[in-house]
Amino acid sequence: MSVQGVHALVRRTHEARVLRVLREHGALSRGQIATKVGLSRTTLSEITGDLLSRGAVVVVDTDAARRLGSGRPAELLTLDPSSGQFLGVDLGHTRVRIAVADAAHDIIAAGHAAYDADTERARQLEVAFALIDRVAARTGVSFRALQGVGVGVAGPRPAPPEIAVPFGARFGAPVIVDNNTRFAGLAEAITDGPDVHDVLYVRLSDGIGGGLVVGGRLVAGADGMAGEFGHVTAQPDGDPCRCGKRGCLETVASVPAVLAGCARRGLALASIEELEAALRHHNPIAAAVLDEAAAAVGRVVGAAALVLNPAQIVIGGRLPRSAPELVRRVDEILAGELCPIGGARPAIRAARLGDDDGALGAIAALFRQTPLLDGYPEPVR
């Protein structure tokens, strides 16, 4: 290969790295891009200049709103929004949610639809496709530039081809399928920005699941079971679990388990809303049961944190939304569970996103693996 050929190859490699960083993280300044791809400011300026002239990258804003010091605001660059679309779908137990993002990471369409808890998968897909059609008609999204589809499903294992094949046939785009709670964990991880790489996420709702983000990537595990905190033993002599074991975390800290714990102590509550009201009125039984659940979560999450050493622990789901004090109590338990052997203790916080976190996480997973912009023309030199 000639010297000119080597130079062209190196340049294309640098361009691909710049495009990949923008695809994964959204709008960044030239300085941030240079740091992430390891290029000098001069080289980076030349490459982004070419990408801007070709329309692959556009200027969307400056960082003036979040600058702390003085000086000229830096332009923020992002991929051409029209160059790609990404569809995220969350097939939950009782509803489907969708979100559509453009290449600049802006959500350009979203919607949801309900179905019964016992709805068969084929019917769930019919509801999902009908919802996508309605949202597209309402917003004008055509999916002509669709780069990929991410589908989150309830359950510990990735769905079989009955999920991927219909979506692939419908849209003619690559499809990834994973657990919707793991996708939610990825969505939560990136709410703190692109530099939070190691996050442990636990969702406490009707069941308990979770997700692990390691090195900025979602971890599924060898059999798609990574993050199944709900079936880690929390009380060896505890109640039977639907998985066949006894004393799983789900038998202590899920919404049904907390309501059942209150009932055993003489406080009959019919719903999570009634639990929330009892806690608001400082009912001692509700407070004691919640404290027991928080202690179990703290022990399980603490053991996982010792092994994985996450930078951050996020607790989401219906239970902490209704009982925010649970997160504070888990933090107190973690203080005693983690060994004081050096290094900072992981930050712990409540989840920030709502019920669309699974669809948003599916889109985030697509951003981290979908090729984009390979078809843009080479500049004339």
Side-chain angles (χ1 to χ4, degrees):
M1 183 180 292
S2 67
V3 173
Q4 288 182 330
V6 171
H7 178 75
L9 178 61
V10 170
R11 188 179 186 85
R12 283 291 288 173
T13 301
H14 290 338
E15 286 184 355
R17 290 164 62 193
V18 171
L19 293 172
R20 184 179 68 248
V21 165
L22 290 174
R23 187 184 72 238
E24 291 186 5
H25 301 302
L28 297 172
S29 69
R30 288 177 177 84
Q32 291 172 315
I33 298 170
T35 299
K36 291 182 180 300
V37 300
L39 297 176
S40 70
R41 295 292 184 98
T42 301
T43 301
L44 192 281
S45 179
E46 185 180 348
I47 289 173
T48 55
D50 275 347
L51 292 173
L52 283 164
S53 68
R54 291 152 57 191
V57 170
V58 297
V59 176
V60 291
D61 203 350
T62 70
D63 63 353
R66 59 175 186 260
R67 284 177 67 89
L68 298 178
S70 59
R72 182 180 177 182
E75 290 180 330
L76 297 181
L77 307 181
T78 188
L79 298 181
D80 173 14
S82 65
S83 65
Q85 297 163 339
F86 302 82
L87 172 62
V89 181
D90 182 353
L91 288 170
H93 288 293
T94 60
R95 86 291 178 274
V96 56
R97 290 184 178 273
I98 71 162
V100 184
D102 62 21
H105 287 214
D106 291 326
I107 300 301
I108 57 176
H112 66 276
Y115 43 70
D116 293 334
D118 58 353
T119 300
E120 294 183 354
R121 183 69 76 194
R123 176 55 185 160
Q124 290 181 359
L125 293 178
E126 290 178 3
V127 174
F129 288 140
L131 172 64
I132 293 169
D133 289 342
R134 289 198 303 274
V135 169
R138 186 181 74 239
T139 62
V141 173
S142 66
F143 296 113
R144 285 193 297 267
L146 190 67
Q147 297 289 323
V149 182
V151 186
V153 296
R157 295 178 182 273
E162 67 178 3
I163 297 292
V165 170
F167 275 97
R170 176 72 178 265
F171 295 105
V175 181
I176 60 173
V177 182
D178 205 335
N179 175 266
N180 56 358
T181 303
R182 269 197 293 275
F183 278 153
L186 179 60
E188 280 291 342
I190 63 177
T191 62
D192 283 312
D195 297 320
V196 179
H197 298 299
D198 299 286
V199 177
L200 186 157
Y201 172 76
V202 182
R203 175 188 275 176
L204 310 175
S205 289
D206 290 339
I208 294 179
L212 306 173
V213 178
V214 178
R217 294 292 186 271
L218 190 62
V219 176
D223 296 312
M225 299 288 286
E228 276 301 305
F229 296 108
H231 298 291
V232 176
T233 301
Q235 295 178 342
D237 299 323
D239 293 338
C241 181
R242 60 191 175 95
C243 74
K245 295 165 54 182
R246 298 187 71 89
C248 293
L249 184 61
E250 194 169 289
T251 69
V252 183
S254 64
V255 171
V258 170
L259 296 179
C262 290
R264 280 197 297 267
R265 301 187 187 194
L267 177 63
L269 300 173
S271 66
I272 186 72
E273 290 77 18
E274 290 188 9
L275 173 66
E276 184 176 352
L279 291 168
R280 193 165 53 247
H281 290 89
H282 307 290
N283 184 281
I285 294 177
V289 173
L290 187 72
D291 189 70
E292 182 179 287
V297 173
R299 290 193 299 271
V300 170
V301 171
L306 282 173
V307 174
L308 298 170
N309 188 31
Q312 188 174 95
I313 296 170
V314 179
I315 300 179
R318 296 178 66 203
L319 188 59
R321 281 205 300 269
S322 296
E325 61 267 35
L326 180 141
V327 177
R328 178 191 58 78
R329 179 60 178 140
V330 170
D331 193 20
E332 292 174 352
I333 298 297
L334 280 173
E337 291 290 325
L338 299 180
C339 297
I341 57 176
R345 192 159 63 89
I348 181 169
R349 67 167 175 84
R352 299 191 179 108
L353 300 175
D355 289 336
D356 57 352
D357 51 3
L360 296 178
I363 291 173
L366 290 169
F367 281 135
R368 281 156 173 71
Q369 69 176 52
T370 304
L372 188 63
L373 299 177
D374 288 340
Y376 270 81
E378 286 289 333
V380 176
R381 303 189 186 280

